[in-house]
Amino acid sequence: MEKLEDKLFTVRNKKDEGNPHIRVLDHTVCAEKCTGKYCNHFCPAGVYLWSPETAKTLVSYENCIECGACAIGCPFANIDCETPRGGFGVQFKFG
Amino acid sequence: MQDEKFDAIVVGAGPAGVAAAITMARAGLQVVILEKGEKPGSKNVMGGILYRHNLEEVVGEAWKEAPIERPMIEEQRWFMTDQAALRLLGHKNFRHREHPNSWSVLRARFDPWFASKAEEAGAFVINETVVENLVVKDGKVVGVATGREGDLFADVVIVCEGIGLGKRLLEKAGLKKPIRANQAAIAVKEIMALDPAKIEERFNCEPGEGCAVECFGASTMGRAGFMFIYTNQDTLSVGGGVLVSDYNGGVVRARDVGRVDHGVFSPNELMEHFKTHPAIKPLLEGAETVEYVAKMIPEAGYKSMPKLFGDGYLVCGDAAMMANPVHREGSNLAMASGRMAGETVIQAKELGDFSERTLSRYKGRVDNSFIGKDMRKYNDAVPLLEQNPEMLGKYPELLDRALDEFFRVDGVSKWEKQSRILKMFAKEGGVKMAWNTAKAAWTMK
């Protein structure tokens, strides 16, 4: 298995529909200051994708595997990531 | 539950929290553990090695019932280049058959068992409950605000929330500084299913016994960190990681943007780079990935640790940035610190005093134990590798070329080969390599 999307498919995730636990605080920071679009790379689950058309960072929060790196990896401290509500989010089978 | 007051509230049912709870509950204290997952272990991840000593200190002989995968009989350390793999160390130690030192473990299996020991001792475990804030009254932590159970109160709150997701409890309460991108690694891991007989054949193990392989150098594209394969019963744990800032090409803060850029890459790219190395690929042939996980790992030594105590609270394990990245230790520091926190609270209960002054004894215990000593010892280990990327990039390369020259039979005399090797080291490694090697030896001593 090589592709990230296939790997993410193995993760058991109790989705909290319509209740995103991750938020990009200010999309103009992504557009104007962040040349590297770092979150697009360092996130192990590929949650973040810069969309030039909409000038926004798209957030696939339902793919999040809850490592917490986004909060410290973004050099602009522009990502707010909270713990999903109790019992929601990833529930690992092996861990 | 609203009006009830506990002796202690433990945040998080990982190794630190459960060890603290077992210690306190056995002394008759009223203890509750709050866990955010469906059950203990549901959200918990580690590379996969657990140490007997620290587990036995908490549960005694019951370690024999723990749901482990395989005892680690052999430790291997490899130095890798893109063209070669150099097995620097292979220590097959048969003493571990009688007296196991460590095991491979899958946390979703181990943690529920460990938490059940806390319940047997009389602690309550409440699952699916996120602690959102510490409740602070007159500068003293008096309880926690939860997402589901409302506010809960206790004489002491033991924060074992792990390295944490998002705004951590202590950060929210202003009791800890945010972690920087060069103070923690992102490690990823795939659990890959493989027939036990094949595991034993490929890793040269007896049935039920295991081997830990850790690979430095090209395995992490030369960055500070390592990749690993740990043999489980019928799976392999394959993974590894580097500093968060390494994935960013060296960018830590906003002011680094545009100034440094060593190239960005993703954890999955790092993983595939390792899995497809010619020395690794045959070991994984036919193994099917059954889960993909990720976790941050504290890497920045003693100086990155937050204040461990205050009026009404203590901090243990990953939440306190306790890990020894040079020796891949973490869960054992967590368990030991949880036990020490529990012992401190038992004393505080006897004294009827949960003030900062009494709880500061916990820090004394930590500092005087292997935790404080090892955390101080390796304070500079990761920064040294971070600031001298040639150590895990160029030097393995030179060593590999020297061995290639040495072993290759091509009509050149051995005298000439030795002279070529020395010239190569002098030219490409130079004085800096000697100096760096000495520095590394000193830092990792």
Side-chain angles (χ1 to χ4, degrees):
Chain A
M1 198 178 282
E2 300 156 38
K3 283 193 195 144
L4 182 59
E5 44 277 36
D6 294 334
K7 294 180 189 181
L8 291 172
F9 199 66
T10 65
V11 180
R12 191 175 146 243
N13 196 327
K14 243 173 94 183
K15 294 189 171 81
D16 196 359
E17 299 289 349
N19 220 345
H21 66 286
I22 308 173
R23 208 161 46 96
V24 170
L25 299 174
D26 182 355
H27 290 277
T28 60
V29 170
C30 310
E32 291 165 14
K33 291 189 182 161
C34 186
T35 51
K37 307 290 182 271
Y38 303 100
C39 59
N40 291 216
H41 301 278
F42 70 69
C43 171
V47 165
Y48 305 94
L49 183 65
W50 172 248
S51 151
E53 298 81 37
T54 59
K56 276 187 174 154
T57 296
L58 307 177
V59 182
S60 308
Y61 74 93
E62 65 283 358
N63 285 341
C64 174
I65 50 176
E66 298 176 24
C67 72
C70 46
I72 72 167
C74 174
F76 302 95
N78 196 31
I79 300 173
D80 183 49
C81 176
E82 281 296 333
T83 307
R85 281 195 296 150
F88 287 95
V90 293
Q91 311 290 338
F92 293 125
K93 304 180 293 273
F94 301 94
Chain B
M1 196 152 269
Q2 300 273 359
D3 302 325
E4 221 174 317
K5 189 182 167 193
F6 296 93
D7 289 321
I9 293 170
V10 178
V11 182
V18 171
I22 291 175
T23 306
M24 293 183 293
R26 284 195 176 160
L29 273 63
Q30 287 283 317
V31 181
V32 63
I33 310 178
L34 301 172
E35 165 55 42
K36 64 184 175 179
E38 270 184 354
K39 59 178 201 254
S42 292
K43 296 202 183 244
N44 299 353
V45 170
M46 70 179 193
I49 303 296
L50 185 84
Y51 296 88
R52 179 192 49 77
H53 177 83
N54 309 90
L55 176 62
E56 190 172 357
E57 280 185 329
V58 177
V59 299
E61 287 288 298
W63 65 264
K64 289 173 183 162
E65 312 155 11
I68 53 96
E69 293 293 315
R70 288 172 187 257
M72 293 293 108
I73 302 298
E74 184 173 6
E75 290 288 344
Q76 295 185 11
R77 301 290 179 271
W78 299 13
F79 235 13
M80 294 173 95
T81 68
D82 287 329
Q83 300 290 329
L86 172 57
R87 297 191 182 193
L88 279 184
L89 179 83
H91 187 221
K92 220 173 172 61
N93 187 345
F94 299 110
R95 294 179 193 89
H96 295 333
R97 285 183 171 162
E98 285 301 310
H99 302 285
N101 175 55
S102 63
W103 307 280
S104 52
V105 150
L106 293 166
R107 291 283 300 276
R109 292 175 181 170
F110 175 82
D111 288 18
W113 171 83
F114 195 37
S116 77
K117 294 285 138 194
E119 288 181 305
E120 281 172 25
F124 297 101
V125 180
I126 305 182
N127 295 317
E128 304 195 329
T129 304
V130 175
V131 173
E132 289 172 353
N133 279 298
L134 296 173
V135 179
V136 182
K137 204 176 154 192
D138 303 327
K140 182 185 184 315
V141 175
V142 295
V144 297
T146 74
R148 234 181 50 158
E149 302 276 339
D151 290 355
L152 298 176
F153 297 95
D155 286 328
V156 62
V157 175
I158 306 189
V159 180
C160 308
E161 60 175 340
I163 194 160
L165 186 62
K167 283 201 207 72
R168 296 138 190 100
L169 280 183
L170 295 168
E171 280 174 40
K172 281 194 210 170
L175 301 172
K176 180 180 170 184
K177 280 188 233 158
I179 308 166
R180 287 200 307 274
N182 58 353
Q183 292 183 318
I186 308 178
V188 284
K189 179 174 79 165
E190 287 177 40
I191 293 100
M192 302 178 75
L194 189 63
D195 177 44
K198 278 194 176 154
I199 293 177
E200 284 142 16
E201 194 181 294
R202 288 179 193 181
F203 292 87
N204 190 23
C205 299
E206 291 295 318
E209 297 184 349
C211 168
V213 182
E214 288 171 3
C215 304
F216 298 81
S219 52
T220 55
M221 307 183 197
R223 269 74 168 194
F226 64 87
M227 303 301 287
F228 60 78
I229 304 177
Y230 302 136
T231 57
N232 301 320
Q233 187 44 43
D234 53 4
T235 57
L236 300 173
S237 286
V238 183
V242 298
L243 293 174
V244 178
S245 52
D246 275 330
Y247 298 100
N248 278 4
V251 170
V252 178
R253 303 175 186 86
R255 66 166 189 261
D256 300 330
V257 175
R259 292 201 316 187
V260 285
D261 191 359
H262 312 304
V264 290
F265 56 97
S266 73
N268 193 48
E269 281 161 6
L270 179 71
M271 183 68 128
E272 289 306 316
H273 174 78
F274 177 62
K275 280 166 62 187
T276 53
H277 189 283
I280 298 300
K281 206 170 164 228
L283 296 172
L284 308 179
E285 190 66 45
E288 190 200 345
T289 301
V290 290
E291 190 159 66
Y292 174 72
V293 299
K295 182 196 183 304
M296 278 206 290
I297 299 175
E299 299 267 340
Y302 191 82
K303 61 187 180 302
S304 69
M305 286 165 65
K307 192 167 169 240
L308 298 180
F309 62 96
D311 278 326
Y313 79 94
L314 294 169
V315 191
C316 306
D318 267 9
M321 298 293 278
M322 289 174 187
N324 177 346
V326 176
H327 292 268
R328 58 123 201 262
E329 292 175 31
S331 57
N332 55 324
L333 281 75
M335 267 186 204
S337 66
R339 177 178 55 77
M340 292 171 202
E343 288 165 358
T344 308
V345 171
I346 293 168
Q347 279 189 334
K349 172 87 179 166
E350 283 164 5
L351 295 169
D353 175 19
F354 296 90
S355 70
E356 176 163 334
R357 196 166 145 266
T358 303
L359 294 182
S360 72
R361 294 180 186 186
Y362 166 59
K363 184 173 188 297
R365 282 172 198 264
V366 168
D367 280 348
N368 289 321
S369 72
F370 77 100
I371 302 176
K373 287 173 188 167
D374 288 354
M375 293 290 291
R376 274 193 220 97
K377 184 170 190 284
Y378 299 112
N379 238 344
D380 299 322
V382 172
L384 180 77
L385 294 172
E386 183 196 356
Q387 286 151 23
N388 298 280
E390 61 276 14
M391 285 192 185
L392 289 174
K394 194 176 177 189
Y395 299 165
E397 211 59 67
L398 292 180
L399 197 54
D400 168 30
R401 275 164 56 195
L403 287 167
D404 181 59
E405 179 72 55
F406 191 72
F407 287 126
R408 189 176 297 281
V409 173
D410 53 3
V412 177
S413 77
K414 299 302 179 203
W415 282 116
E416 174 60 19
K417 281 179 180 293
Q418 284 173 7
S419 145
R420 280 183 190 177
I421 289 168
L422 286 174
K423 275 183 195 147
M424 181 190 74
F425 277 122
K427 183 163 167 266
E428 300 196 32
V431 181
K432 198 181 175 204
M433 184 171 173
W435 172 240
N436 271 344
T437 308
K439 247 190 338 194
W442 176 253
T443 310
M444 316 274 179
K445 68 189 178 294

